[in-house]
């Protein structure tokens, strides 16, 4: 799959928080990761992906996957800033935190892709359900575009898979921001409930 400048520009427009990353090479790799993930799916934009934690969980009533990625990024930075101001010994790399938060769900274009969902539904005994969840596929995408291992670690361990490893500090921050995002919005009646 090839990625072009139009796709990169779309990702930058959808995720303006990329500009918070001072390291331009790291920022470019974040954009490349999302552009590649989208190019390997049937989605044209992050906003085209169902705004939910998993394909079978309640979606946002009003919002998209872009809102989730941006919300988690903003929450993660706020958590780190607030706790860092109270505990100066809490040291973290801000650029890596922002990159990791922006890429925590970079595997969702694969897991949420309607073509993959239909194929897995038809062949559950052969492929599993899903064949590969978004954290695992996110690691693949991150490493493919040359993102640091710290960012791939967050993509792979921000969700339930993270219970099987020791999370890094930035992974723990993104994990908490991710879960807070969904739980707060659910409590506030912002998810479509059956």
């Amino acid at each position: 799959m090839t990625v072009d400048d139009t796709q990169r520009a779309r990702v930058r427009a959808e995720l303006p928080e990329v500009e918070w990353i001072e390291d331009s090479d790291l920022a470019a790799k974040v954009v490349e990761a999302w552009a590649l993930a989208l190019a390997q799916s049937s989605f044209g934009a992050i906003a085209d992906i169902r705004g939910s934690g998993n394909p079978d969980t309640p979606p946002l009533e009003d919002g998209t996957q872009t809102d989730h990625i941006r919300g988690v990024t903003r929450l993660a930075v706020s958590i780190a800033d607030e706790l860092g101001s109270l505990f100066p010994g809490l040291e973290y790399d801000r650029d890596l935190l922002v990159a990791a938060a922006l890429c925590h769900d970079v595997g969702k274009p694969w897991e949420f892709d309607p073509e993959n969902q239909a194929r897995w539904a038809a062949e559950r005994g052969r492929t599993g359900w899903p064949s590969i969840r978004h954290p695992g596929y996110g690691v693949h995408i991150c490493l493919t575009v040359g993102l640091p291992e710290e960012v791939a670690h967050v993509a792979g361990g921000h969700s339930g898979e993270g219970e099987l490893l020791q999370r890094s500090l930035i992974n723990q921050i993104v994990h908490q921001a991710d879960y807070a995002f969904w739980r707060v919005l659910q409590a506030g009646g912002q998810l479509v409930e059956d």
Side-chain angles (χ1 to χ4, degrees):
M1 303 290 164
T2 58
V3 174
D4 63 33
D5 287 338
T6 301
Q7 292 164 314
R8 291 180 188 101
R10 185 179 308 120
V11 170
R12 284 189 181 275
E14 285 191 284
L15 302 176
E17 290 78 8
V18 167
E19 298 303 321
W20 294 359
I21 302 171
E22 292 181 11
D23 179 336
S24 60
D25 182 56
L26 180 60
K29 287 177 180 175
V30 167
V31 171
E32 197 69 15
W34 272 105
L36 178 62
L38 291 165
Q40 292 181 349
S41 76
S42 62
F43 297 111
I46 301 167
D48 295 339
I49 303 167
R50 176 184 166 99
S52 61
N54 294 301
D56 60 350
T57 57
L60 294 167
E61 237 179 57
D62 182 32
T64 70
Q65 198 61 234
T66 306
D67 297 310
H68 171 64
I69 302 301
R70 295 185 68 208
V72 168
T73 301
R74 290 167 170 265
L75 284 170
V77 169
S78 294
I79 289 168
D81 285 349
E82 291 301 320
L83 291 178
S85 71
L86 292 170
F87 301 96
L90 187 68
E91 296 180 9
Y92 63 95
D93 183 312
R94 186 182 180 90
D95 273 0
L96 283 177
L97 174 65
V98 173
L102 287 170
C103 287
H104 81 280
D105 277 344
V106 74
K108 280 188 176 177
W110 171 264
E111 183 181 0
F112 284 55
D113 191 303
E115 293 175 14
N116 287 340
Q117 288 288 316
R119 183 170 49 84
W120 298 332
E123 303 176 27
R124 286 184 191 206
R126 182 169 162 247
T127 64
W129 182 265
S131 176
I132 301 171
R133 274 185 24 91
H134 67 274
Y137 200 75
V139 170
H140 163 72
I141 292 292
C142 289
L143 295 177
T144 296
V145 302
L147 278 163
E149 183 178 2
E150 296 91 337
V151 175
H153 168 73
V154 174
H158 73 279
S159 193
E161 289 80 353
E163 302 305 318
L164 302 174
L165 50 84
Q166 179 179 336
R167 288 186 175 104
S168 68
L169 174 61
I170 64 170
N171 194 337
Q172 189 63 247
I173 293 168
V174 172
H175 167 70
Q176 296 301 326
D178 187 34
Y179 276 61
F181 179 94
W182 294 115
R183 287 182 175 63
V184 169
L185 291 179
Q186 182 178 32
Q190 299 302 301
L191 301 182
V192 175
E193 299 288 346
D194 291 336

